[in-house]
Amino acid sequence: MKLFKNVNITLAIFIGLIAGIVVGLIIPGSIGWFYGILGVISSLYMSALKMMIYPLVFCSIVVGIHGIGNIRATGRIGGLALLFFLITTAFASFLGLILPRILNLGAGVTIAMSESTVEATQFTSLLDTVETLIPSNPIASFAEGNMLQVLVFALIIGFTVLSIGEKADPFMAVVTSVNDLSLKIISVVMYFTPIGVFCSIATVVEANGTDTVLSLATVMIAIYVTYFLYALIFYGGVVKTLGKCPIGRFFTAVAPAAMNAFGTCSSSATIPLSMRCMEEDLNCPNEITSLVVPLGATVNMDAVSIVMSFMIPFFASACGVKVSLSMMVVVLLANVLLSIGTPGVPGGAIASFAALSAMVGLPGGIMGVYISVNTLADMGATCVNVLGDLACCQVLKAQLYPDRE
């Protein structure tokens, strides 16, 4: 394991991605045994990754709600920060709902998977969706992979834990342990991501040719343009109007934290630098930064909402899975809930994509294609998320401490 820790995972994933594309283009599909081996390795990797997705999603949401409850008890700052993050995440989800449809992403693209396509869950109306929200048998929801019911069950358990207080401490100790265990297993599996990416993308490119590569590049360009505009216009506008700070001054002051987030793909690892930028360069009180920045690393996933909003419709269209507008609304509402438990570490969005893709019925094999571009998307997403954390700090400073410049 020490050997793996010394490897730059991000660089290794890029190498696996490029190598997989090259192999898929130059080695003919007539060499069936070769791609058969790659398919087996890819399936093993996918199974290992998905093995802990449902426990992780359930436990992380319960732990997240429990943690938010403790933070809210500290007073007004925690409540306002939480409200800020939930509103901005909902707005980012709404933006993601509109833009992919305007850009018609995925139109004319076909991705053939090596495994049979999973049928999407049929939603005739939002009322039908609401009717099936509460699971009559939570164990069956886990066994059948009904992610929406798992999310609702986690929400019910999380708020019940808050209501009974200390009586829930033994249960929370178990849930926290399972959450940590799930994160550890997934983090170990992630060390094998370069191999999994290589095998997955090679088989997909061999089956689909250069069209898949070009279409994925188009989606990534669209996502980064959206990142830039969202950060500049939305966060910049919020900082200027509510935060009473010139846009140029704000972005200059927080640039070190943003660049660190871009390079590490970890909002959690950027917490110390984020606090220093706000306290030293923008004179933000520690009472705000010490609460808002860690909370944002857990809850604020605006850019992840944008990624999910682009990727889900794209892959659904490419795989021939019909996703209605009402279903997409449900998915984005679920994404706001998932943002509570998404880890602020590299690859944290993978669990969210796995959960949401299961809801719309995407084939499990599409995970390999998504993971192959996740690092590219995650770098910009983490940068934008950290900017959102710091924009919240600036807004709260201006509103609660108006005399501080």
Side-chain angles (χ1 to χ4, degrees):
M1 190 60 65
K2 291 182 179 179
L3 176 62
F4 285 127
K5 288 182 179 179
N6 292 328
V7 177
N8 188 317
I9 296 297
T10 300
L11 177 61
I13 290 174
F14 280 131
I15 294 174
L17 172 63
I18 299 302
I21 292 174
V22 172
V23 168
L25 291 175
I26 65 175
I27 297 183
S30 57
I31 308 179
W33 63 268
F34 176 74
Y35 286 104
I37 293 175
L38 294 187
V40 170
I41 297 174
S42 177
S43 296
L44 288 173
Y45 171 74
M46 289 298 108
S47 296
L49 184 65
K50 292 186 291 184
M51 176 174 59
M52 301 306 296
I53 290 298
Y54 285 86
L56 174 63
V57 168
F58 173 80
C59 293
S60 62
I61 289 176
V62 174
V63 171
I65 292 174
H66 184 258
I68 291 171
N70 290 337
I71 290 172
R72 288 180 61 190
T74 64
R76 188 180 180 190
I77 293 176
L80 290 175
L82 179 60
L83 179 63
F84 179 93
F85 292 141
L86 291 179
I87 290 175
T88 57
T89 300
F91 179 78
S93 295
F94 175 77
L95 184 68
L97 179 66
I98 301 300
L99 287 180
R101 292 178 177 270
I102 294 177
L103 298 175
N104 202 22
L105 291 179
V109 178
T110 301
I111 297 180
M113 305 306 303
S114 58
E115 58 181 87
S116 60
T117 300
V118 179
E119 293 296 328
T121 304
Q122 297 300 316
F123 285 83
T124 56
S125 71
L126 287 176
L127 289 178
D128 293 332
T129 303
V130 172
E131 186 178 3
T132 59
L133 279 179
I134 299 178
S136 59
N137 185 345
I139 303 301
S141 300
F142 281 91
E144 296 168 2
N146 191 325
M147 183 56 70
L148 191 56
Q149 289 187 351
V150 171
L151 292 176
V152 173
F153 183 59
L155 188 64
I156 293 171
I157 295 296
F159 283 106
T160 304
V161 163
L162 291 182
S163 68
I164 64 176
E166 293 181 357
K167 294 180 181 180
D169 288 349
F171 172 77
M172 283 307 304
V174 174
V175 172
T176 302
S177 295
V178 174
N179 184 62
D180 293 342
L181 185 147
S182 301
L183 284 172
K184 179 62 177 179
I185 291 176
I186 289 181
S187 66
V188 172
V189 173
M190 288 300 295
Y191 286 120
F192 298 92
T193 295
I195 299 174
V197 165
F198 168 78
C199 297
S200 298
I201 202 67
T203 54
V204 170
V205 170
E206 186 280 324
N208 299 277
T210 57
D211 289 343
T212 299
V213 179
L214 295 176
S215 61
L216 287 172
T218 301
V219 174
M220 292 306 304
I221 292 172
I223 288 176
Y224 266 86
V225 170
T226 305
Y227 285 162
F228 178 79
L229 295 177
Y230 184 80
L232 181 64
I233 298 175
F234 183 68
Y235 285 148
V238 167
V239 165
K240 184 174 179 61
T241 57
L242 299 179
K244 312 299 182 183
C245 178
I247 296 177
R249 181 190 173 197
F250 173 77
F251 283 112
T252 300
V254 302
M259 291 300 99
N260 184 74
F262 185 86
T264 62
C265 294
S266 174
S267 52
S268 295
T270 310
I271 287 176
L273 185 55
S274 296
M275 293 176 63
R276 191 179 71 184
C277 288
M278 290 303 301
E279 293 174 10
E280 295 183 2
D281 297 333
L282 292 173
N283 197 27
C284 188
N286 179 262
E287 295 91 326
I288 291 178
T289 59
S290 62
L291 181 60
V292 173
V293 174
L295 176 62
T298 303
V299 177
N300 181 31
M301 298 292 164
D302 291 4
V304 174
S305 296
I306 293 173
V307 173
M308 298 301 113
S309 301
F310 273 77
M311 290 298 189
I312 294 293
F314 170 78
F315 283 125
S317 177
C319 295
V321 176
K322 302 297 182 183
V323 181
S324 65
L325 181 61
S326 60
M327 180 60 193
M328 199 62 202
V329 170
V330 172
V331 168
L332 294 179
L333 290 175
N335 186 64
V336 175
L337 176 59
L338 279 170
S339 69
I340 295 175
T342 301
V345 296
I350 292 176
S352 293
F353 181 82
L356 297 176
S357 63
M359 288 175 60
V360 301
L362 295 183
I366 208 68
M367 282 292 297
V369 185
Y370 170 75
I371 292 172
S372 68
V373 296
N374 174 72
T375 300
L376 289 171
D378 202 22
M379 294 170 72
T382 307
C383 178
V384 173
N385 288 338
V386 167
L387 288 174
D389 300 344
L390 304 184
C392 180
C393 289
Q394 179 61 34
V395 169
L396 292 185
K397 184 196 82 171
Q399 299 301 316
L400 301 179
Y401 299 84
D403 294 335
R404 298 185 69 128
E405 291 295 331

